[in-house]
Amino acid sequence: MNATAVLLAPRRRARPARGLRTAVRPLARSLTYTRLLHLLIVNALPALLIFVAGGFAPAMAATALCLLVAGAVPGMRVVEGVQARLLFPRGEGAGHVGERPSAGWGERLRLMVWLEVRLVLGSGVTMLCVWLPTLAEISWGGEVPPGLGFLPQTRDWWAWLSPLPLLALYGAVLGAGAVMARLAVPLLGPSPAERLAALEARTEELLERTRLARELHDSIGHALTVAVLQAGAARAAGDAAFTQRALGAIEETGRAALEDLERVLGVLREPGSAARGRPGLDRAERLFASARAAGAEVTVRVDGALDALPGPVSREAYRMTQEALTNALRHAGPVPVEVVFTVDTRALTLDFTNPLPPDARPFPGGGTGLRGLRERAAVLGGSATAGARDGRWRLRVRLPLEALRETGK
């Protein structure tokens, strides 16, 4: 751009109107007047006590004492929380302010501080709402109220300062309302311990949902795998008797999957009932029967007492067994599967071994089941290893028992 263009280009002017609109915008917001009402309403009690106590100072002292007593009442936190949540703009979280009564003296003390700060700021704003407009009115020749004789009596001199009291009142109202909103969360909100407890509860909820997703994957995946293999075998066999047996196996497996699905949906509807109705290793025989019906030759050996296992270990071991059999059927087909359960004083060990046919092809989504097995084992402090060797696939899971027995689970 040359010099001529620079000279002829229109100059950008400052936009004081934009700053003025920003400054007066709070006047058009209902939040400003809500905060002002929140500060003014606290003066109702001292206004009544003035006639009893015989003066402003005794009334304020009596009000402060009454608020300290009110702060010790647990339900007062809920009452103040309902009002404090109105101090926040719509759509902004108030940090769960005052959602429940005070649970201890720590919360009661914070509530007392909140009530006293509200009294001090509310009284100050109330006096400013009375005296600052009075000072502005003086500039127009009004009579000087008693006690303000020290002010200049010259109208011309005071007229130049007439807007200042109103501006000061405007700033005081906005500032005091913002201070109360800023103090609401630390004084009426949850304590650090409560926030930690809420975070832990949320984490437990997410972990539970993840576990339910794994259970649906294991149960529905097993049922679909058995149904696909049975249907394919029945179509290839062309035998009516075999088809009837295959349909019976599909029906039984589907019914079990529907039971699992209904239980999981029940847990989602009623949190806290996660372990209700979850099968353990005592019901593992139906998994073996389902795999045998799909054509696999399943041999089972148990070393130890399965009925002595802690509930969490037995339930997770059932799902691991289900996933192991599903993976064997899905990736290797109806092949012989060896299952060994070993229980001792320290751990439960699950061993699954099956041959891998040369033309075995992985199904879509391969790897998800093994990752779920490792996650299940890790939750209980155990481990899961899997791999192919000498044409055979072996999955080994070890779940420790000592820690669970010590905690009484």
Side-chain angles (χ1 to χ4, degrees):
M1 182 178 294
N2 53 33
T4 304
V6 172
L7 292 175
L8 295 178
R11 295 183 179 179
R12 293 185 177 180
R13 297 180 179 180
R15 298 182 178 179
R18 185 175 183 180
L20 181 61
R21 286 197 301 268
T22 303
V24 301
R25 186 176 299 167
L27 290 174
R29 300 174 63 187
S30 61
L31 180 64
T32 302
Y33 304 98
T34 301
R35 291 177 174 179
L36 177 60
L37 179 61
H38 181 80
L39 291 168
L40 295 180
I41 199 174
V42 75
N43 294 280
L45 182 58
L48 295 175
L49 292 178
I50 285 179
F51 301 99
V52 179
F56 176 75
M60 290 296 295
T63 302
L65 181 60
C66 292
L67 292 180
L68 289 178
V69 175
V73 179
M76 192 65 181
R77 185 169 183 261
V78 178
V79 175
E80 288 296 316
V82 172
Q83 302 179 58
R85 284 193 288 272
L86 299 176
L87 301 177
F88 292 84
R90 183 176 300 177
E92 291 189 11
H96 306 291
V97 170
E99 286 190 339
R100 58 174 184 77
S102 302
W105 279 106
E107 293 182 357
R108 291 186 176 95
L109 290 175
R110 288 192 290 139
L111 176 58
M112 293 177 185
V113 173
W114 164 265
L115 292 173
E116 298 300 328
V117 171
R118 182 182 176 187
L119 176 62
V120 172
L121 289 181
S123 301
V125 169
T126 301
M127 288 189 292
L128 292 178
C129 287
V130 174
W131 292 111
L132 290 180
T134 302
L135 293 179
E137 191 270 342
I138 290 174
S139 65
W140 300 104
E143 183 180 352
V144 179
L148 296 181
F150 62 90
L151 294 175
Q153 303 300 309
T154 304
R155 175 178 175 178
D156 295 338
W157 187 91
W158 186 250
W160 292 99
L161 302 179
S162 60
L164 295 183
L166 299 179
L167 293 177
L169 176 61
Y170 179 56
V173 170
L174 294 182
V179 169
M180 294 303 297
R182 180 66 62 88
L183 293 177
V185 173
L187 294 181
L188 296 179
S191 64
E194 292 173 335
R195 293 190 182 96
L196 180 60
L199 180 61
E200 291 177 349
R202 177 60 177 167
T203 302
E204 289 295 331
E205 180 183 354
L206 294 177
L207 290 175
E208 180 65 16
R209 289 180 178 274
T210 301
R211 187 190 61 77
L212 292 176
R214 287 197 300 261
E215 288 206 7
L216 282 180
H217 170 271
D218 296 344
S219 179
I220 304 302
H222 178 78
L224 291 178
T225 299
V226 171
V228 169
L229 291 176
Q230 289 282 11
R235 183 176 60 179
D239 184 5
F242 183 85
T243 301
Q244 288 296 324
R245 290 194 300 272
L247 291 176
I250 293 174
E251 180 183 3
E252 180 64 26
T253 305
R255 185 178 294 109
L258 286 176
E259 292 176 0
D260 289 337
L261 179 60
E262 182 63 26
R263 183 185 57 78
V264 170
L265 294 178
V267 171
L268 292 176
R269 288 191 296 265
E270 301 177 9
S273 59
R276 188 186 309 165
R278 291 182 59 197
L281 279 183
D282 56 331
R283 298 170 62 183
E285 184 57 38
R286 74 175 187 177
L287 299 178
F288 304 141
S290 177
R292 294 186 183 106
E297 182 182 345
V298 182
T299 58
V300 183
R301 190 177 82 243
V302 179
D303 296 333
L306 295 180
D307 54 356
L309 293 173
V313 173
S314 180
R315 290 189 290 267
E316 293 300 321
Y318 175 89
R319 291 302 178 188
M320 294 178 181
T321 301
Q322 186 178 50
E323 180 62 24
L325 294 175
T326 302
N327 286 341
L329 293 171
R330 177 181 298 176
H331 299 290
V335 297
V337 181
E338 299 176 6
V339 181
V340 179
F341 295 152
T342 304
V343 183
D344 56 33
T345 58
R346 294 176 299 176
L348 164 67
T349 304
L350 312 176
D351 283 291
F352 305 91
T353 308
N354 62 271
L356 287 176
D359 58 346
R361 294 177 299 176
F363 275 43
T368 304
L370 290 178
R371 184 168 63 249
L373 282 170
R374 295 189 180 99
E375 290 175 354
R376 288 181 182 275
V379 168
L380 296 178
S383 60
T385 58
R389 183 175 181 181
D390 298 332
R392 298 180 66 82
W393 178 266
R394 182 179 183 185
L395 170 64
R396 182 181 179 87
V397 179
R398 186 180 186 276
L399 303 177
L401 303 177
E402 296 176 349
L404 289 174
R405 284 171 175 164
E406 290 176 359
T407 56
K409 293 185 178 180

